[in-house]
Each structure stands twice: as structure tokens, then as C-alpha cells.
Amino acid sequence: MRKQGKSLKIIWWMYINLLFVFVVVKFKGSFYELSDRINSYTMQSSMNYNLIPFRSMSTQIKHITQWWALKNLLGNIIPFIPFGFLLPIAYKKFNSTINVFSTGLASILLIEIFQFFTNLGSFDVDDIILNMIGIVCGYLMFQIINRIAVRKR
């Protein structure tokens, strides 16, 4: 059982690293491109934020049949589903709803702040909402699978 717990923690941290590299930093395989994005920090891009809920999301929902809109909506939800699913599995003290949600929200806020200050993205309250939807979906999957497993015992 102890080996299984260690393996789950390794999977969790592998997921967190992949999330950071491909979703947060948006690494596309080129360190030069990444460096250019960081170094292209301008006053205009430093004001790249949205604090009004559903502002960007409503535009994307209106254009849901277009790839860019669907990609942004799902790209902010799907990568966070494992967060809500893996966290309570890897760390038993995080198996309560409040712990998963508060840890998820704190993590997402750190991501958004990091993207804003490094110019690797923008601070968007809609991203926070969509990321949290992903975490909620993952946590619901965890709860459903957990209840099925308990019934079978």
C-alpha cells in the first residue's frame, strides 16, 4: 500500500509539471520562442487582464462552432480535470471538497498571476472560472468512482 501511495504522488507531480510546461508556460518546443515571448514585455501587454466575469467566455460561447473558441473553452477545462481527480487520490488529506476546491483555486490564482507577470499569458477571471469547472468535473469523477469502489467492498 505504501508503494502505491508513493506512485500516486509521483503521478500527481508529473501531471503538475506537464500542466505547468504545456498549459501555464505554453511551451511549444522552442526555448527561443519562449524567451522571445518573455522578452517582448511591453506596457500594453502588461495591462493584459480581464476582471469582468464571462466577458471573454461569452464571446467564445457565441462562436462555439469555430475552432479557436472551442479550443479556448475546452483548453481551460480539460487540463484541470486531472487536478480534481488526482489530488484527493495522491494526498488523502485533500479528499474533502473544501480542501480540493481551495487548493485548486489557490493554484489557479498563482498560475494566472505568474502568466500576467511573465507575459506568458493574461490574468483572466474567465480562465479561473473555466479551470475551476475542470477541477469540479475531476473531483466529481473522483467522488463517483470512490462511491462505486466503496459499494463493491
Side-chain angles (χ1 to χ4, degrees), residues 130-147:
L130 292 169
N131 296 164
M132 282 304 294
I133 289 170
I135 291 173
V136 168
C137 290
Y139 187 69
L140 288 173
M141 288 171 48
F142 163 76
Q143 288 288 4
I144 290 166
I145 292 170
N146 195 32
R147 288 178 193 211

Side-chain angles (χ1 to χ4, degrees), residues 59-74:
T59 303
Q60 294 158 7
I61 291 169
K62 285 179 192 172
H63 296 95
I64 194 81
T65 58
Q66 296 178 20
W67 175 242
W68 65 268
L70 186 61
K71 179 181 160 191
N72 192 64
L73 289 168
L74 294 179

Side-chain angles (χ1 to χ4, degrees), residues 36-48:
D36 284 346
R37 280 193 290 138
I38 293 170
N39 291 330
S40 69
Y41 185 80
T42 63
M43 193 59 154
Q44 184 179 11
S45 65
S46 70
M47 296 302 170
N48 195 11

Side-chain angles (χ1 to χ4, degrees), residues 25-27 33-41 119-120:
V25 175
K26 298 174 184 74
F27 184 69
E33 184 271 339
L34 180 62
S35 176
D36 284 346
R37 280 193 290 138
I38 293 170
N39 291 330
S40 69
Y41 185 80
N119 201 36
L120 293 172

Side-chain angles (χ1 to χ4, degrees), residues 5 8-9 13 17 30 32 52 76 81 85 91 110 124 126:
L8 290 169
K9 287 177 180 152
W13 287 107
N17 283 306
S30 168
Y32 295 112
I52 301 170
N76 274 300
I81 292 173
F85 185 79
Y91 293 94
L110 286 173
D124 191 341
D126 288 349

